[in-house]
Amino acid sequence: MNVKLENSWKQLLGDEFSKPYFDSLAKFVKSEYESKTIYPKGNAIFKAFDLCPVDKVKVVILGQDPYHGPNQAHGLAFSVKEGIPFPPSLLNIFKELKSDLDLPFPPHGNLERWAEQGVLLLNATLTVEANKAGSHQKKGWETFTSAVIKKLASRKSNIVFLLWGAYAQKKAEDIDAEKNLKLQTSHPSPLSSYRGFLGCKHFSQTNAYLEAHGMVPIKW
């Protein structure tokens, strides 16, 4: 199957696209786009990979599903385009950045600037039906994104994995903790942010780790 994916990722993932689960996933996703409103737009499904090639990855932030409201999802976990109001989880991310690093709230919620510095903003499920959270879970995306994390964590070292919430933390077993850093806390959603996300200081810890390993910190 010819998947339009940034070349370094295509090389890393190797034969993943020829496996039966991915063939079934691709047929399901194609059918959904043809018959329903699906987010993000088809050309943005793999945007997180396009903006952050394998050799540039320094940090992985793992989300759950794309946003399922109109004009929100654009292929990067937690991110929205310029002009779109901050969704509640993103608002709490910016609150934590203010608390942790004393950074002012940005003028918009487009996180492409993070991706271009080496932050892979990966959702565990890469597509979703409009207004139906979780609608594309257990269709094969989780198998694919687990393969992404497992291969990335085993082939590279000194990557910071930010695992926020129980769903993201299911991926923890895919990460080689001897070679990389795992930081875990609750999800930034208002339903759970008070259980640890607010006050976690993951952004300063990430930069301290990167600097300790000779890498340029992220300009959050």
Side-chain angles (χ1 to χ4, degrees):
M1 182 178 298
N2 183 27
V3 176
K4 293 181 179 178
L5 187 66
E6 194 276 331
N7 192 51
S8 66
W9 286 106
K10 217 164 190 179
Q11 291 178 359
L12 179 71
L13 295 168
D15 63 351
E16 210 65 30
F17 306 110
S18 62
K19 293 181 178 178
Y21 87 86
F22 197 88
D23 185 56
S24 298
L25 170 64
K27 288 175 181 175
F28 166 76
V29 170
K30 184 174 185 290
S31 173
E32 289 285 284
Y33 272 95
E34 289 173 348
S35 60
K36 301 172 184 175
T37 300
I38 305 298
Y39 301 128
K41 290 182 178 180
N43 62 5
I45 293 174
F46 297 109
K47 187 173 186 177
F49 301 94
D50 294 336
L51 293 178
C52 191
V54 171
D55 64 343
K56 291 189 176 180
V57 177
K58 297 190 284 190
V59 181
V60 177
I61 296 179
L62 187 65
Q64 187 166 334
D65 290 316
Y67 295 122
H68 55 84
N71 302 315
Q72 291 183 310
H74 69 124
L76 302 176
F78 296 108
S79 178
V80 291
K81 289 183 177 180
E82 291 89 336
I84 303 300
F86 300 157
S89 292
L90 184 57
L91 181 62
N92 280 334
I93 288 171
F94 291 148
K95 285 181 179 178
E96 178 56 24
L97 278 166
K98 172 65 176 171
S99 170
D100 187 10
L101 295 171
D102 198 27
L103 293 178
F105 276 45
H108 58 76
N110 191 333
L111 303 181
E112 289 183 19
R113 63 189 183 278
W114 293 5
E116 290 164 354
Q117 295 178 73
V119 181
L120 181 65
L121 294 156
L122 181 67
N123 279 314
T125 302
L126 298 186
T127 54
V128 69
E129 184 179 347
N131 304 314
K132 291 187 178 181
S135 51
H136 285 190
Q137 291 176 8
K138 299 181 181 177
K139 303 295 185 181
W141 278 130
E142 294 93 340
T143 303
F144 175 71
T145 51
S146 284
V148 170
I149 290 171
K150 191 175 294 184
K151 291 182 180 185
L152 188 63
S154 63
R155 307 269 180 99
K156 293 192 65 171
S157 58
N158 302 328
I159 296 174
V160 182
F161 290 86
L162 302 182
L163 305 175
W164 298 337
Y167 198 86
Q169 288 162 19
K170 290 177 183 177
K171 303 286 191 185
E173 63 187 25
D174 297 325
I175 299 165
D176 184 344
E178 302 255 328
K179 297 165 59 180
N180 305 284
L181 177 64
K182 292 188 286 189
L183 296 176
Q184 304 184 55
T185 189
S186 66
H187 194 276
S189 161
L191 297 175
S192 57
S193 58
Y194 62 91
R195 295 187 198 140
F197 179 80
L198 294 175
C200 69
K201 299 191 180 300
H202 278 186
F203 300 103
S204 58
Q205 290 182 64
T206 294
N207 279 353
Y209 180 86
L210 294 176
E211 288 185 292
H213 290 84
M215 287 178 275
V216 177
I218 305 298
K219 294 181 180 177
W220 300 106

